[in-house]
Amino acid sequence: MTSAWNPSETDDVIDQLAGIQPGSHLDAVRRHRLQARAQAQQSYLALLAPRAPLSSQWPLNERLAVAAFVAALHQQPQVQRFYRDALATQASLALGKAIDGEAAQGLARGPYGQ
């Protein structure tokens, strides 16, 4: 697997982040839905690994920051690391540290409003 910020056309980010091994039961299930699998990968590529030039007013480093923050809130360290590594190539280390701090403050267990 190539990096989060430089994926190849054959990489599958869901397989990588979920730890789905080739030939496993989950791999077989996902391969029965080839169009859904391809569209999920293309969505990732379009949002978080776009090819230059980026034609959006939402900068890539901010997209990666949101992805890292959400992964941290969901307490998914492997996914957070995946997006933080990508973010490190796009922004300063200070942004990554700020995300970690905000996510740590935002951690909570539900249900809320009781």
Side-chain angles (χ1 to χ4, degrees):
M1 179 75 178
T2 55
S3 65
W5 56 96
N6 189 22
S8 78
E9 292 299 319
T10 60
D11 290 339
D12 186 287
V13 71
I14 293 173
D15 283 351
Q16 180 186 7
L17 295 177
I20 298 173
Q21 298 297 318
S24 69
H25 175 71
L26 284 176
D27 181 53
V29 169
R30 290 195 76 222
R31 290 193 186 281
H32 277 42
R33 305 270 326 259
L34 289 178
Q35 189 173 24
R37 183 181 189 139
Q39 289 174 354
Q41 181 64 18
Q42 291 302 314
S43 294
Y44 164 77
L45 292 172
L47 289 171
L48 297 167
R51 300 207 188 276
L54 182 61
S55 60
S56 171
Q57 302 216 348
W58 191 19
L60 181 58
N61 67 329
E62 291 180 12
R63 297 175 194 198
L64 293 167
V66 169
F69 179 72
V70 170
L73 289 180
H74 287 275
Q75 299 180 11
Q76 297 294 315
Q78 178 182 353
V79 178
Q80 181 184 9
R81 191 168 33 259
F82 179 84
Y83 289 117
R84 279 287 309 275
D85 287 350
L87 180 60
T89 69
Q90 300 292 321
S92 71
L93 293 176
L95 179 56
K97 289 180 181 181
I99 291 166
D100 291 344
E102 292 300 317
Q105 287 184 338
L107 287 178
R109 296 240 183 249
Y112 304 100
Q114 295 183 356

